[in-house]
Structures are given as C-alpha cells and as structure tokens.
C-alpha cells in the first residue's frame, strides 16, 4: 500500500505541475492581452485629447467669427443709417434720385431739365448712364 500511495502522490504532483504550467501559459497570454489593451487605451486617450483640443479650437474660432459678424452687421447698419440721413438731408441727392427714376421711366432731356432743374449736360449724362 505504501507503493500505491507514493505512485498516487507522484501522479498528483505531476498533475499539479502540469496544471501550474498550463496556468502559467494562460497567465502569459492574459498578460499579453492586457498589455495590448493598455496600448489601445493609451492611444484612444491620446486621440481623445487631440479631438478635444481641435474642438476647443473650433469653438474659439466660431466664437471669434460670430463676434466679427456681429460687428460687421453693426457697421453695415450704421452705414445704412448714414446713407439714409445724407440722402434725406441733401436736396441735390433727392433731385438726382428723382431724375434717375424719371430716366428709368423713359423721360427725355427736356423733361429732366424742366422737372429737376438740371443743366442740359447733366441731363444728357444721366440719360446715357441709366438707360443702358
């Protein structure tokens, strides 16, 4: 019975050694996979940070462009108001505006001279410029 016990113990030890070797091999494979996943996670973090910086740059650019558009709209509005004020204040501008409308409706040189009190040369020039 002593020999059987020794044989059983040897079989048990060999089985345990085989199991340990198998588990070490599996552990090595798992470590390799963990290392590969760690590399992938680090690359993903790097890309995420890069995208985050790009998005921040885009936001900053968009905000800057929005401010510039608002400023340009203000300037345009101011210019429109100034033009409107100057046309309302300048009686000559009203005469020329009226003369251009008359030319567009087909008025002749004599009509412009009479209705808008323009010199003949200016009336002829307006007709040439605005009938094209």
């Amino acid at each position: 019975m002593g020999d059987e016990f020794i044989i059983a113990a040897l079989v048990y030890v060999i089985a345990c050694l085989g199991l340990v070797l198998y588990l070490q091999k599996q552990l090595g494979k798992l470590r390799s996979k963990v290392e590969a996943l760690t590399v992938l996670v680090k690359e993903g973090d790097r890309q995420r940070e890069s995208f985050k910086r790009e998005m921040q740059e885009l936001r900053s650019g968009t905000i800057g462009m929005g401010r510039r558009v608002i400023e340009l709209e203000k300037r345009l509005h101011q210019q429109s108001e100034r033009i409107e004020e100057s046309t309302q204040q300048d009686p000559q501008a009203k005469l020329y505006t009226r003369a251009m409308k008359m030319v567009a409706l087909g008025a002749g040189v004599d009509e412009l001279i009479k209705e808008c009190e323009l010199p003949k040369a200016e009336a002829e020039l307006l007709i040439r410029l605005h009938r094209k």
Side-chain angles (χ1 to χ4, degrees), residues 65-81:
M65 288 301 290
R67 288 180 183 152
R68 289 181 69 191
V69 166
I70 290 170
E71 182 62 31
L72 289 172
E73 286 177 342
K74 286 179 185 176
R75 284 182 172 176
L76 180 62
H77 183 69
Q78 290 171 350
Q79 291 295 327
S80 295
E81 286 177 350

Side-chain angles (χ1 to χ4, degrees), residues 10 21 25 27 31 38 50 54 57 62 66 68 70 82-83 88-89 98 107 117 119 121-122 125 131:
L10 280 174
L21 290 174
K25 185 177 179 182
L27 183 62
R31 282 185 181 149
T38 302
S50 175
E54 288 178 22
E57 289 174 10
T62 302
R68 289 181 69 191
I70 290 170
R82 287 181 191 154
I83 290 171
Q88 289 176 359
Q89 291 176 357
R98 183 172 176 223
E117 299 177 1
E122 287 183 24
L125 181 61
R131 279 211 177 147

Side-chain angles (χ1 to χ4, degrees), residues 31-88:
R31 282 185 181 149
S32 296
K33 289 180 181 181
V34 167
E35 288 173 8
L37 287 172
T38 302
V39 168
L40 287 174
V41 166
K42 286 180 181 178
E43 177 65 19
D45 287 345
R46 188 190 64 75
Q47 286 181 351
R48 184 178 48 84
E49 286 300 317
S50 175
F51 291 145
K52 187 177 174 180
R53 281 191 303 274
E54 288 178 22
M55 287 298 293
Q56 186 62 34
E57 289 174 10
L58 286 171
R59 276 190 212 118
S60 296
T62 302
I63 290 169
M65 288 301 290
R67 288 180 183 152
R68 289 181 69 191
V69 166
I70 290 170
E71 182 62 31
L72 289 172
E73 286 177 342
K74 286 179 185 176
R75 284 182 172 176
L76 180 62
H77 183 69
Q78 290 171 350
Q79 291 295 327
S80 295
E81 286 177 350
R82 287 181 191 154
I83 290 171
E84 184 66 29
E85 287 173 9
S86 68
T87 56
Q88 289 176 359

